[in-house]
Amino acid sequence: MATTHKTRMLIIGSGPAGLSAAIYGARAGMQPIVVQGLQPGGQLTITTDVENYPGFREVIQGPWLMQEMEAQAVHVGTRMMWDTITSVDLSGETFIARGDGGDIYEGDTLVIATGAQAQWLGVPGEQELSGKGVSACATCDGFFYRGKKVVVIGGGNTAVEEALYLTNHSDDVVLIHRRDSLRAEKILQDRLFAHPKISVMWNKRVDRFMPGEDGALRAVALIDTQTGEQSDVLADGAFVAIGHAPATELFKGKLAMDETGYLLVQPGTPKTDVPGVFAAGDVSDHVYRQAITAAGMGCMAALDAERYLAARQFEGVTETVQY
């Protein structure tokens, strides 16, 4: 039998943004509910070594970090729900979300922290070598390839930015692109072509990622898109940089988005165009996409949600006095 769950702050998504919002919301007495979704813990649950999250001198494991965040959220008063939201109604004063099992979740405020997923090539070896040489985030993992050869796959702004960033760690960065020209902005292209540590392989598509005897990435197998010729490029690290897809399908036609589906917020805030609805983390951030920035945005969303409720309560009291 379907159950209705009510809360002052409903959070959809359980990555760093959602759980940070829950921690702050719970400490403010809002008794938040977190609906965890298809990937509880977000992208960090499929990340192995994490070396850039503040507070840990040694490398930690992504799944462990998310377990600790969840435990902290529960400890301060968060309710965690194992469910997947299939529809939302943002038209009333109370925001309503429906789970795939029929349960209904009602929130006086709503924090959307559904994140974004890296787009992958879908070739053999890609998932098997994820965390063992194949990555979708140079900022996250580039440090592990200091002094080693790396390749970046893609031709847009993200790929060029990743390649330029990796020159901080590697003297041999190869950009692999399936066409004979890049889609990136000209200023980025100029920086790329002028950089002595970067070379470009044109008209090449990735056929597969190949492991070495140690089980880590050894080489990337390529096919020439013009001639069909096969070749291999040796690499210690490969970064797939063909874009990210925000998980915002639920909110199409209900919240303002940009042309790629990221939720639009007021500059410097997590506020969407619907009062009381906030977006935090990668669902609205296509620039930084880091666990620490997502956590910070989750904090901001919870603080703004508490202020929104306080203002609404004050307005209700004022109206009562006037009448």
Side-chain angles (χ1 to χ4, degrees):
M1 188 177 198
T3 303
T4 298
H5 310 273
K6 298 184 178 182
T7 176
R8 297 184 71 202
M9 185 169 72
L10 176 62
I11 303 167
I12 304 177
S14 56
L19 293 178
S20 295
I23 292 166
Y24 275 81
R27 286 173 53 82
M30 290 192 284
Q31 299 178 319
I33 289 176
V34 173
V35 183
Q36 301 198 60
L38 289 173
Q39 190 178 64
Q43 294 186 71
L44 275 181
T45 59
I46 57 172
T47 302
T48 52
D49 294 345
V50 176
E51 198 171 36
N52 57 359
Y53 198 87
F56 304 95
R57 71 173 70 186
E58 303 292 343
V59 175
I60 58 174
Q61 299 299 300
W64 176 85
L65 177 60
M66 298 318 301
Q67 288 171 9
E68 291 297 299
M69 278 194 187
E70 180 180 332
Q72 184 180 6
V74 171
H75 177 73
V76 293
T78 300
R79 285 183 285 167
M80 306 295 299
M81 308 299 293
W82 292 83
D83 205 346
T84 301
I85 300 302
T86 57
S87 66
V88 294
D89 182 353
L90 310 181
S91 61
E93 287 191 2
T94 298
F95 307 113
I96 300 172
R98 291 177 172 81
D100 63 0
D103 280 11
I104 296 174
Y105 304 88
E106 297 182 2
D108 296 330
T109 59
L110 174 64
V111 176
I112 300 168
T114 47
Q117 296 292 330
Q119 296 181 11
W120 296 96
L121 298 169
V123 300
E126 186 174 49
Q127 295 305 313
E128 293 85 349
L129 292 173
S130 179
K132 300 177 182 178
V134 177
S135 171
C137 181
T139 311
C140 308
D141 299 328
F143 185 76
F144 298 114
Y145 299 95
R146 300 184 301 279
K148 298 181 179 181
K149 181 173 181 176
V150 296
V151 301
V152 178
I153 299 104
N157 284 353
T158 299
V160 173
E161 288 169 351
E162 299 263 274
L164 289 167
Y165 172 81
L166 285 166
T167 60
N168 294 316
H169 305 295
S170 171
D171 293 332
D172 191 352
V173 179
V174 179
L175 181 72
I176 299 170
H177 187 42
R178 60 184 177 176
R179 298 188 177 91
D180 60 1
S181 62
L182 301 176
R183 304 186 311 277
E185 296 172 4
K186 186 177 185 303
I187 188 171
L188 289 175
Q189 293 192 44
D190 291 343
R191 293 173 187 167
L192 180 93
F193 297 141
H195 206 293
K197 296 181 181 179
I198 301 176
S199 59
V200 181
M201 297 184 72
W202 301 106
N203 300 314
K204 298 288 190 295
R205 68 174 177 85
V206 174
D207 183 54
R208 66 190 184 279
F209 295 97
M210 302 162 57
E213 292 182 359
D214 60 355
L217 178 72
R218 179 184 65 84
V220 181
L222 306 173
I223 294 179
D224 191 290
T225 57
Q226 304 268 319
T227 66
E229 181 183 355
Q230 297 182 359
S231 61
D232 297 341
V233 55
L234 296 176
D236 299 294
F239 295 85
V240 179
I242 58 174
H244 285 71
T248 55
E249 188 70 30
L250 278 173
F251 309 101
K252 285 185 176 178
K254 299 173 182 179
L255 290 172
M257 303 179 183
D258 67 13
E259 65 278 2
T260 57
Y262 285 89
L263 295 180
L264 295 177
V265 294
Q266 296 178 24
T269 81
K271 300 175 183 177
T272 70
D273 60 332
V274 174
V277 177
F278 308 90
D282 290 8
V283 75
S284 61
D285 172 21
H286 55 78
V287 177
Y288 301 103
R289 296 195 301 266
Q290 299 297 300
I292 186 62
T293 52
M297 294 172 71
C299 163
M300 294 162 62
L303 294 176
D304 279 345
E306 193 277 331
R307 290 166 183 159
Y308 167 82
L309 290 177
R312 196 170 74 173
Q313 183 179 19
F314 176 77
E315 290 169 0
V317 170
T318 303
E319 290 174 2
T320 300
V321 172
Q322 289 175 342
Y323 281 101

